[in-house]
Amino acid sequence: MNYSKFWTRFKEWALTTNDEDILPYKLRKIIEIIRQNPDITLVRLAGYLDTDALYLARYLLNSYKSLVET
């Protein structure tokens, strides 16, 4: 999957989701950061979290898939 397309879809989902009680702690914090700054890019988010952007994209993709499929 193209991560730029996924990032757009993930940000939209993060801004509209109300299932915060089932989200893991890490994902909740990422969604909180996105809600505070909706124009943030994946690379800026990775820099803010002091992690690798590709690692972060893979983590978000796997988390998103597991949450949406259930």
Side-chain angles (χ1 to χ4, degrees):
M1 173 181 266
N2 187 345
Y3 286 117
S4 64
K5 290 180 182 178
F6 164 70
W7 177 245
T8 305
R9 187 175 341 145
F10 180 79
K11 278 196 327 184
E12 290 174 5
W13 175 80
L15 292 171
T16 60
T17 189
N18 293 325
D19 300 330
E20 294 179 8
D21 53 335
I22 63 169
L23 297 176
Y25 178 76
K26 286 183 183 178
L27 200 55
R28 246 184 291 171
K29 289 299 175 183
I30 291 171
I31 289 173
E32 183 179 313
I33 293 168
I34 292 171
R35 286 183 179 168
Q36 291 173 359
N37 187 2
D39 296 330
I40 196 165
T41 64
L42 181 62
V43 175
R44 283 190 180 168
L45 180 63
Y48 182 80
L49 297 173
D50 196 29
T51 188
D52 183 40
L54 185 57
Y55 171 78
L56 179 61
R58 286 180 182 163
Y59 168 75
L60 293 176
L61 178 63
N62 290 334
S63 298
Y64 177 76
K65 281 184 177 180
S66 67
L67 289 170
V68 172
E69 289 177 356
T70 59

